[in-house]
Amino acid sequence: MEPFGIALTTLVLFVSFGFMVGVLFGFFGMGGSFLVTPALLVMGYPARVAVGSGMAFVFGTAVIATLKHHDLGQVDYKLGGLMIVGTSVGIEVGRIGVFYLEDLGLASGVIGITYVVLLGAIGVFVTRNALKNDGSSGSGGGHHDAADDEIDPDAIPDIAKKIQSYRVPPMMTIAGGIQVSLWMVLGVAFATGLLSGFLGVGGGFIRMPAMFYLIGVPVPVAVGTDLFEIVFSGGIGSFLYGMEGGVDLSIVAPLLAGSALGARIGSAATSIVNEDDIKIYFGLMLLGGSIAVAFQQAGDYFAIEIFNTVGFALILLSAFMVSGAVIYSTVTEMRAQANASVPSAD
């Protein structure tokens, strides 16, 4: 039996993988295609299909998560609209680059190496900061609880304050009354759009930190606005790749079936779990993804098939580890709250 034209075991694998990535998407506000696209490359799909299908998956999952963040009032539509403009141009440039490299027979190798460097660098950064800040905050609940709070100037990174000090007109006011140059916003949007089109990622795991560290957008608004922008970047990218035959619905449909539930669970967890408890696992997940793609690249270069298998297993392990940590922490916190609400019998 082959529903969607693929083997049943592959279908179950895609649904399960989509669920795990959906949990990560809902909780961290990041698309998770930095796991999906490498996984498809490891499975042997052509570069344009891996990138295009990853982009389509991002689009569908972003729609689900953005609706939740809209209800929480965490979307800056003016900022999001400007990000869409810069991202759209970047996606087109990145897409042209992929097809050019594919014609040269270099696409899979270049995309894979870029993933190794990018995921590894961000993984080290996130893990290092998570370890350094571990235990420094005792507050519970996710970062979304602070959406309506007054913005503390001390919470704005120093580099963002430095960038904001260069008042290159035209200036614009973003959430919290922060003023920043329009050119910085468009520059961040173009760079992340370039990554989206080239790597098949929504750009969230780059854009959301960039919005916070480089522009100074409050974290809750950065997450919500990022997801809003991903809806458009993912939609544009999916359409462009689909026109070139780069979107395989037999891959995208089961992935979305799993992520539809996972994204809701991840979004709900943000109001229950302290995100600081999960950040170290997120950093390790990125490192795991980096190592997995490195194995795949080595397997292709040295023609060692077992390296491809190890790489694919590491990608699955990374997603399972972090999504499992989110669900476990959610259940544990809910039990603790339930026990605390039960009056003691004296």
Side-chain angles (χ1 to χ4, degrees), residues 178-194:
I178 298 172
Q179 286 198 324
V180 64
S181 171
L182 171 65
W183 301 113
M184 177 54 65
V185 173
L186 293 177
V188 171
F190 175 81
T192 54
L194 185 64

Side-chain angles (χ1 to χ4, degrees), residues 77-346:
Y77 290 101
K78 179 174 67 175
L79 176 62
L82 291 171
M83 294 288 289
I84 290 169
V85 173
T87 299
S88 299
V89 178
I91 287 176
E92 178 63 16
V93 174
R95 184 185 70 90
I96 292 173
V98 169
F99 290 145
Y100 175 74
L101 290 173
E102 191 173 61
D103 290 338
L104 298 178
L106 301 174
S108 295
V110 173
I111 291 173
I113 292 173
T114 303
Y115 263 115
V116 172
V117 175
L118 196 60
L119 291 179
I122 297 176
V124 169
F125 174 80
V126 172
T127 304
R128 178 176 175 273
N129 280 273
L131 290 172
K132 183 168 62 176
N133 297 329
D134 187 35
S136 63
S137 173
S139 63
H143 57 261
H144 299 295
D145 293 341
D148 299 323
D149 292 351
E150 291 290 331
I151 296 174
D152 182 2
D154 293 335
I156 300 176
D158 291 337
I159 186 174
K161 293 179 181 178
K162 184 67 174 178
I163 290 174
Q164 291 168 18
S165 69
Y166 297 108
R167 306 181 67 82
V168 181
M171 302 293 293
M172 62 174 291
T173 302
I174 58 178
I178 298 172
Q179 286 198 324
V180 64
S181 171
L182 171 65
W183 301 113
M184 177 54 65
V185 173
L186 293 177
V188 171
F190 175 81
T192 54
L194 185 64
L195 287 172
S196 295
F198 187 71
L199 300 177
V201 299
F205 75 107
I206 292 290
R207 183 169 51 251
M208 193 278 285
M211 290 172 68
F212 174 65
Y213 285 106
L214 300 181
I215 301 177
V217 180
V219 172
V221 180
V223 172
T225 304
D226 173 47
L227 291 171
F228 168 70
E229 196 279 335
I230 288 175
V231 171
F232 287 87
S233 65
I236 293 170
S238 300
F239 175 77
L240 293 175
Y241 273 95
M243 293 293 290
E244 301 288 343
V247 176
D248 188 337
L249 293 180
S250 68
I251 299 172
V252 177
L255 284 173
L256 285 177
S259 72
L261 175 61
R264 287 182 172 84
I265 293 176
S267 297
T270 60
S271 63
I272 301 173
V273 180
N274 186 342
E275 186 182 338
D276 290 336
D277 296 338
I278 308 295
K279 282 183 178 178
I280 187 171
Y281 297 109
F282 181 66
L284 291 175
M285 178 190 66
L286 295 181
L287 289 174
S290 175
I291 296 172
V293 179
F295 266 100
Q296 187 260 340
Q297 292 300 306
D300 289 343
Y301 185 80
F302 295 107
I304 304 177
E305 183 61 31
I306 189 63
F307 279 11
N308 290 320
T309 303
V310 171
F312 185 49
L314 284 173
I315 289 178
L316 291 178
L317 179 62
S318 296
F320 178 78
M321 178 182 69
V322 183
S323 59
V326 171
I327 295 174
Y328 175 80
S329 297
T330 301
V331 173
T332 301
E333 183 64 26
M334 290 176 65
R335 287 179 176 175
Q337 292 177 3
N339 291 335
S341 64
V342 176
S344 58
D346 292 332

Side-chain angles (χ1 to χ4, degrees), residues 32-50:
S33 58
F34 57 86
L35 288 173
V36 174
T37 301
L40 295 177
L41 289 172
V42 168
M43 294 178 69
Y45 286 97
R48 73 168 63 192
V49 174

